[in-house]
Amino acid sequence: MICQFQRTIKRPISIEGIGLHTGKKVKLKLYPAKKNEGINFIRKNTLIPAKIDYAHSFDYSTSLMKDGVVVKTVEHLMAAFYFTGIDNVFVEIDEEELPILDGSSKEFVEAIKKAGIETLNEEKFYAVIERPVQVINGDKFIKAKPSSITKFSYQADYNNTIIGKKVFTYVPNDKKSYEGIFTARTYCFLEEVEYLRSVGLAKGGSLKNAVVFHNDNVLNEEGLRFEDEPVRHKVLDLVGDLYLLGYPLVGEVFSFKGGHRLNAEFVKTLLKENAFLIKPSSEVIKTINENYRNAGIKI
């Protein structure tokens, strides 16, 4: 989301649901925050900044931890904050895992829009990629390069006729790609379910909050929301995980078969290699919008 000023929510938001992996009922409350306070989770009287420094676990989701207090599966809400341009908010949670809801960011985005978005009297800051950077793990990789048009792309590589080797690219502020990403649901294969539950995961998973594949079939009665929904969801996860950098990225990012662990490694590499500069919106937004228009992207 390309914005000039920082944002928060106008009113508190309450959301209830179950955790995908814990299966526990959870209550989530979002509260407005002041400028430059950032995104922070609150659990057991512990404030956990939504920053990569506190990233803790990456097995089928992204978790944060501070002083032994854990908050799990933050990526869909983090993506919703990115999609709506939220920079500052407090997220209070009464259990260890955020609610999975329908498996996408849809209900988070809708709740934020319903509560209203407050524009704050402070410039927004962006992390502008200055030089190419990449991380590689076996046959998986994520690479990024400077670009005046921000793009987040994901390419899958499944031996499955539905997902296959599809690619999806999300361009912030491009209406078409935006509308086709935040509603994309998480997914798994039926043969994975038994394993996940044997290691204490997916206890709250069902056809109501995930797309389930068996061989080349979709088990959900309603089918897919998009023919490439799984790949779109991978981009959603990528966006949510990258927002743990603390700033929205300006640049082009391409992920091949990446997941939460590689996403986190990529963010850490950006920091380690000083591959970006933090710039206020006044230095970047005019150029960004001009390049979007020149490229024929509707904003």
Side-chain angles (χ1 to χ4, degrees), residues 166-191:
K166 289 185 173 69
V167 180
F168 181 77
T169 297
Y170 163 59
V171 180
N173 277 39
D174 172 40
K175 294 180 181 179
K176 185 176 181 180
S177 68
Y178 168 73
E179 292 173 355
I181 183 172
F182 73 92
T183 60
R185 297 164 294 176
T186 191
Y187 67 93
C188 69
F189 294 88
L190 184 62
E191 51 268 32

Side-chain angles (χ1 to χ4, degrees), residues 220-248:
N220 304 63
E221 185 176 348
E222 71 278 13
L224 296 176
R225 291 174 176 173
F226 312 94
E227 64 175 4
D228 56 355
E229 183 174 5
V231 186
R232 292 174 187 241
H233 184 80
K234 283 292 190 178
V235 179
L236 184 157
D237 281 346
L238 177 66
V239 168
D241 287 340
L242 294 190
Y243 207 19
L244 293 178
L245 182 63
Y247 304 93

